Amino acid sequence: MSCAVFAFPEAMKPASDLSGLLGVPCRSVEVRAFPDGESLVRVAEVTQVAILYRSLDRPNGKLVELLLAASALRDGGAQRVMLLAPYLAYMRQDKAFHPGEAVSQRVIGRLIADHFDALATLDPHLHRIKRLDQAVPGIPAFGLSAAPALAAAMPQKSDLLLVGPDAESRPWVEAIAGPLGLDVLVGEKRRCGDREVDLAIPGIERVAGRPVVLVDDVISSGTTLIAAATMLRDSGAGEIEAIATHGLASSEALAQISGAGVSRIRTTLSVANPTACIPIADILANGVRSAGWIA
Ligand code: R5P
């Protein structure tokens, strides 16, 4: 079956890196904004299998264009339309935390399942469910791990300590630290608001004089890293760096994280951001192949 990667304008470079590894063409999804704010989406040279590549940071407008592109691909003859969203939005609101709130994960998961034949993403933010296909029911859904890319980016420093800021981070901070033989500390975090967390890091006295890398799945408001870095600095840590899968932070937030003592912040190329530098194309290509999307 013919296959191509179809990419929105902001993702042409990472999508073409992926298509190069897969040995299939990369085609652009053209988007034009009408004066009233609506989008016109156009695809050309449609293949039987279409891999639509778009990260869903700042997701609201992107989601509409994504659905229009999926429809245009089917109208153009695609028999299978796959969504490859290195960053998948709306996974954090997996329950109504307060009366009257929408369960966004369920709504967006169903929307994707209704329009695509399969989904793959990187380090989806799952709390109360274990598998991505529970959030996106009825289609094959693959949550790929960025751990090998993050592990490869770890500085080669003796006595390095990895710190995960909360209990959810433990399995994959350990997955990164294990093969490298690195020490791990895991914090206990309670989120009190969008920009407010209570954080404790049991065993923090072990950071004294040691280089530390904070590891998280996503940097959003930066609140978590600012709180963690402040505590580490106050406890006498040596150089503090931060590495995360998805960088969503604004430049103001990044400046605040630096101001809290983090000397270098790096994220993967899942989302275009000043911190994005860790390649993931090989992880995505392996994921696409193991999912059987292409031979
Ligand atoms: C939370 O459970 C996540 O692992 C991240 O720690 C969190 O989403 C980061 O968000 P922020 O940068 O807004 O603190």
Side-chain angles (χ1 to χ4, degrees):
M1 286 181 122
S2 61
C3 176
V5 174
F6 290 82
F8 283 84
E10 79 280 358
M12 285 309 292
K13 170 73 174 82
S16 63
D17 290 347
L18 169 70
S19 72
L21 290 177
L22 294 174
V24 300
C26 184
R27 301 201 167 131
S28 59
V29 176
E30 290 172 35
V31 182
R32 183 165 85 75
F34 287 109
D36 60 7
E38 292 182 2
S39 296
L40 176 70
V41 168
R42 183 173 171 275
V43 294
E45 299 180 78
V46 175
T47 46
Q48 291 160 310
V49 176
I51 300 172
L52 191 50
Y53 187 110
R54 175 166 250 192
S55 262
L56 292 170
D57 52 304
R58 287 166 285 120
N60 294 359
K62 288 184 178 176
L63 273 166
V64 172
E65 292 170 356
L66 197 66
L67 302 186
L68 297 177
S71 170
L73 287 166
R74 287 195 202 283
D75 291 347
Q79 291 162 27
R80 299 168 68 204
V81 182
M82 324 298 205
L83 173 58
L84 180 51
Y87 175 67
L88 182 60
Y90 281 118
M91 289 296 109
R92 284 177 276 187
Q93 177 85 10
D94 60 3
K95 70 172 196 176
F97 293 90
H98 302 100
E101 288 178 351
V103 182
S104 317
Q105 184 192 77
R106 193 175 63 212
V107 176
I108 300 303
R110 283 187 185 154
L111 187 73
I112 289 170
D114 283 348
H115 289 83
F116 292 91
D117 299 301
L119 163 73
T121 186
L122 204 56
D123 286 345
H125 193 101
L126 305 177
H127 269 189
R128 277 154 283 266
I129 61 167
K130 291 282 167 259
R131 295 191 332 265
L132 186 61
D133 59 5
Q134 293 170 275
V136 187
I139 62 168
F142 304 92
L144 310 172
S145 170
L150 301 185
M154 281 302 152
Q156 309 279 314
K157 290 180 179 167
S158 62
D159 222 16
L160 184 67
L161 186 62
L162 301 195
V163 176
D166 48 35
E168 291 81 24
S169 69
R170 180 180 287 282
W172 51 278
V173 174
E174 287 179 344
I176 296 167
L180 299 174
L182 297 174
D183 254 2
V184 165
L185 282 184
V186 175
E188 292 165 2
K189 185 174 87 179
R190 192 171 66 87
R191 187 169 281 281
C192 318
D194 290 349
R195 292 171 196 278
E196 205 183 332
V197 294
D198 272 348
L199 187 65
I201 306 180
I204 195 166
E205 62 284 352
R206 286 167 46 205
V207 306
R210 297 174 68 177
V212 175
V213 177
L214 278 160
V215 183
D216 210 345
D217 60 341
V218 53
I219 309 173
S220 182
S221 68
T223 307
T224 301
L225 288 189
I226 292 166
T230 304
M231 293 181 72
L232 293 170
R233 201 181 49 186
D234 291 348
S235 298
E239 186 173 14
I240 305 170
E241 295 189 38
I243 288 185
T245 305
H246 307 294
L248 308 179
S250 64
S251 37
E252 293 76 22
L254 294 174
Q256 286 167 0
I257 296 169
S258 301
V262 179
S263 62
R264 183 163 62 150
I265 309 164
R266 288 178 294 157
T267 56
T268 75
L269 295 169
S270 71
V271 174
N273 185 281
T275 59
C277 61
I278 300 172
I280 48 168
D282 55 343
I283 292 175
L284 300 180
N286 290 338
V288 166
R289 282 211 192 82
S290 0
W293 290 7
I294 66 169

